[in-house]
């Protein structure tokens, strides 16, 4: 488990023996420092860590294309609801699918 904590201008990690703060170094009983640099990986062993998706991954691209298609469909069909449209099984199914997609998209925005 590697989670940085902020203490007196220094990132601290319990796996290292000293804390460096400017030119002084000290080793408190419960606090040890590690220098965190750009590009370091932060690991967390939580349950939801495996659910996090890479922003440029295939799943995210696929989901973005699906939401773009649903948005395009909404842009075309929603204004047509002002006019009487005969009952159509396709439009009824699409309404449920669109509600489902937007509901899932809200949940996916957290991952």
């Amino acid at each position: 488990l590697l989670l940085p904590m902020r203490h007196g201008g220094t990132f601290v990690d319990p796996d290292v023996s000293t804390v460096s703060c400017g030119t002084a170094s000290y080793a408190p009983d419960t606090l040890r420092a590690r220098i965190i640099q750009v590009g370091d990986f932060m690991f967390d062993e939580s349950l939801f860590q495996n659910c996090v998706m890479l922003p440029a991954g295939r799943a995210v691209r696929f989901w973005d294309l699906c939401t773009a298609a649903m948005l395009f469909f909404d842009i075309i069909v929603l204004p047509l609801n002002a006019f009487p449209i005969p009952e159509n099984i396709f439009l009824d199914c699409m309404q449920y699918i669109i509600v489902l997609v937007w509901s899932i998209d809200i949940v996916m925005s957290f991952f």
Side-chain angles (χ1 to χ4, degrees):
L1 178 67
L2 177 60
L3 294 174
M5 297 178 287
R6 195 82 169 139
H7 183 274
T10 305
F11 285 107
V12 294
D13 178 40
D15 295 332
V16 181
S17 61
T18 61
V19 173
S20 299
C21 192
T23 57
S25 294
Y26 59 94
D29 294 337
T30 60
L31 212 52
R32 295 182 194 120
R34 178 182 181 277
I35 297 173
I36 306 293
Q37 298 177 350
V38 174
D40 285 352
F41 288 100
M42 303 298 287
F43 295 101
D44 184 13
E45 298 173 359
S46 71
L47 176 66
F48 296 111
Q49 186 66 31
N50 293 330
C51 297
V52 176
M53 295 186 296
L54 295 173
R58 285 185 177 184
V60 174
R61 283 192 220 153
F62 175 75
W63 187 254
D64 288 343
L65 287 174
C66 288
T67 56
M70 295 299 140
L71 182 65
F72 182 72
F73 185 82
D74 275 345
I75 289 171
I76 300 299
V77 173
L78 282 178
L80 294 176
N81 286 334
F83 305 105
I85 298 175
E87 289 292 322
N88 187 345
I89 190 75
F90 173 74
L91 292 177
D92 291 340
C93 289
M94 284 303 292
Q95 285 179 347
Y96 287 113
I97 290 171
I98 287 172
V99 168
L100 182 68
V101 166
W102 293 130
S103 299
I104 292 171
D105 190 51
I106 291 171
V107 173
M108 286 185 65
S109 67
F110 293 105
F111 298 105

